[in-house]
Amino acid sequence: MLVMKDIVKIYKNGLLELKALDQVSLTVAKGEFVAITGPSGSGKSTLMHIMGCLDRPNAGEYFLDGEDVLGYPEQKLAAVRNRKIGFVFQNFNLLPKLDALTNVEIPLIYRGEERKISRQRAARLLEMVGLGDKMRHRPSELSGGQQQRVAIARALVGDPPLILADEPTGNLDSRSGAEIMELFKQLNSQGRTLVLITHDPNVARQANRIIYLQDGRVIPAPGGVAASEVS
């Protein structure tokens, strides 16, 4: 599904340079459920932004679904994000003035899909995530767990081959977080490829494989097992 080779990302602040990612190489196969974990400042979010084609590295190679995306202009990258990647964020990123149904529709509206078709698909996905009775509710009328379910439905609406989730349980209570993780497991069992970014080891252990980051590098897992071998 994705291949990264020797990814380097450097942030500059005047004369100072911070190497956020240092020769990161990894692969995620189609249908995998992978967690990327590590302490704050380890480079997790930077890596997620590059995976999601939201940022570019200073060096390295990135192939997404067989495409060398680093050479694409911004307009083509936007199309890749819309069609190949579904995003789930810690803060949900829902539009507060729109109801749940319209929030889920947005990726299809950007594609120019016929409104009747996009609305039907959004409704089906809200039913799938257990919010069939909340379609007309705005985000402020939903709990945190319900808002995250709307965000997951939105990530799925364009049928992307890859779902990227950045700390998806970070703003949820333990019960809602557990429900969201169960939903991710169900999606993976249906063949979805998921990459989950988390600092929480308990969340990471629910994935099928864990990749550990520290100081911008992939490191061996605790106990000396290579990160790529953890399952």
Side-chain angles (χ1 to χ4, degrees):
M1 186 67 242
L2 66 86
V3 179
M4 293 183 138
K5 298 179 180 179
D6 299 324
I7 294 291
V8 174
K9 181 64 181 180
I10 298 171
Y11 293 108
K12 293 184 179 181
N13 183 8
L15 297 177
L16 297 177
E17 288 190 352
L18 171 64
K19 187 174 283 189
L21 296 175
D22 186 5
Q23 303 289 321
V24 169
S25 296
L26 58 87
T27 62
V28 176
K30 184 176 181 180
E32 272 201 287
F33 182 8
V34 176
I36 297 176
T37 191
S40 297
S42 60
K44 300 187 303 297
S45 291
T46 299
L47 183 60
M48 187 266 195
H49 287 158
I50 294 173
M51 281 184 173
C53 300
L54 298 167
D55 198 2
R56 298 176 188 265
N58 296 90
E61 299 176 85
Y62 179 28
F63 295 88
L64 174 62
D65 202 20
E67 297 184 52
D68 183 2
V69 294
L70 294 184
Y72 287 175
E74 181 53 41
Q75 185 175 2
K76 193 168 183 179
L77 273 183
V80 168
R81 288 193 296 269
N82 183 270
R83 294 187 177 275
K84 291 189 177 292
I85 306 169
F87 294 95
V88 181
F89 296 100
Q90 179 177 351
N91 294 320
F92 319 132
N93 286 12
L94 302 177
L95 297 177
K97 295 183 179 181
L98 302 181
D99 61 25
L101 186 64
T102 309
N103 265 288
V104 174
E105 278 188 279
I106 285 174
L108 297 184
I109 292 172
Y110 285 157
R111 287 189 193 181
E113 296 278 359
E114 183 181 340
R115 194 65 185 273
K116 181 180 179 180
I117 294 173
S118 66
R119 183 139 293 203
Q120 289 174 345
R121 180 160 178 78
R124 285 198 303 271
L125 283 165
L126 283 171
E127 292 277 1
M128 188 195 78
V129 300
L131 294 177
D133 60 340
K134 305 290 185 182
M135 294 188 191
R136 296 300 179 182
H137 287 58
R138 294 184 179 185
S140 62
E141 300 171 313
L142 301 172
S143 68
Q146 290 171 335
Q147 290 184 65
Q148 195 60 292
R149 287 175 179 268
V150 174
I152 291 169
R154 181 186 58 193
L156 295 171
V157 74
D159 198 25
L162 174 65
I163 303 296
L164 293 180
D166 189 7
E167 300 284 3
T169 63
N171 281 345
L172 304 179
D173 59 46
S174 58
R175 178 178 177 180
S176 296
E179 291 174 350
I180 293 301
M181 290 306 300
E182 284 303 314
L183 180 54
F184 280 135
K185 291 175 187 177
Q186 291 173 22
L187 294 171
N188 179 243
S189 71
Q190 296 165 8
R192 300 275 180 178
T193 306
L194 281 85
V195 177
L196 184 150
I197 308 294
T198 182
H199 72 281
D200 186 336
N202 293 321
V203 171
R205 280 194 288 268
Q206 297 182 62
N208 301 126
R209 182 162 64 96
I210 304 174
I211 296 172
Y212 294 87
L213 283 184
Q214 184 172 303
D215 298 327
R217 288 178 169 268
V218 175
I219 64 167
V225 180
S228 62
E229 296 172 354
V230 175
S231 61

